[in-house]
Amino acid sequence: MADPGKAEQKAKRGQALFRRIEELGKSVIMTVNGFALGGGLELAMCGDIILASQNSRFGQPEVNPGITPGYGGIQRLARLIGKQVRNTFA
């Protein structure tokens, strides 16, 4: 059985690391050539610029079974795509 305390601690450590990347005093360019799913997408979204090849695929598959991305991915995604894009899916 998973220990909820350990899971929370791990999530907080990951969130702190990703926040440090976001708040870094230098520009951060993320490159993607292939799949950026789950934590990979969350990490890519921490950068200032994402350069993606035509082979790139992005997603948060953990939301399909109802699991919240652990490192702030939903909040980052909403900030990045904005209100207009979200409304096109309604």
Side-chain angles (χ1 to χ4, degrees), residues 2 7 11-13 37 46 48 53-54 68-69 74-75 80:
K12 286 183 179 182
R13 285 180 52 208
L37 302 173
C46 291
D48 298 301
S53 74
Q54 291 182 343
T68 302
I74 290 177
Q75 294 82 5
L80 289 172

Side-chain angles (χ1 to χ4, degrees), residues 27-73:
S27 296
V28 176
I29 301 172
M30 303 294 194
T31 60
V32 178
N33 181 23
F35 290 95
L37 302 173
L41 175 57
E42 291 186 81
L43 178 60
M45 290 189 293
C46 291
D48 298 301
I49 297 171
I50 300 174
L51 296 177
S53 74
Q54 291 182 343
N55 300 324
S56 300
R57 299 293 179 261
F58 300 88
Q60 291 182 315
E62 63 271 34
V63 301
N64 290 335
I67 300 169
T68 302
Y71 297 162

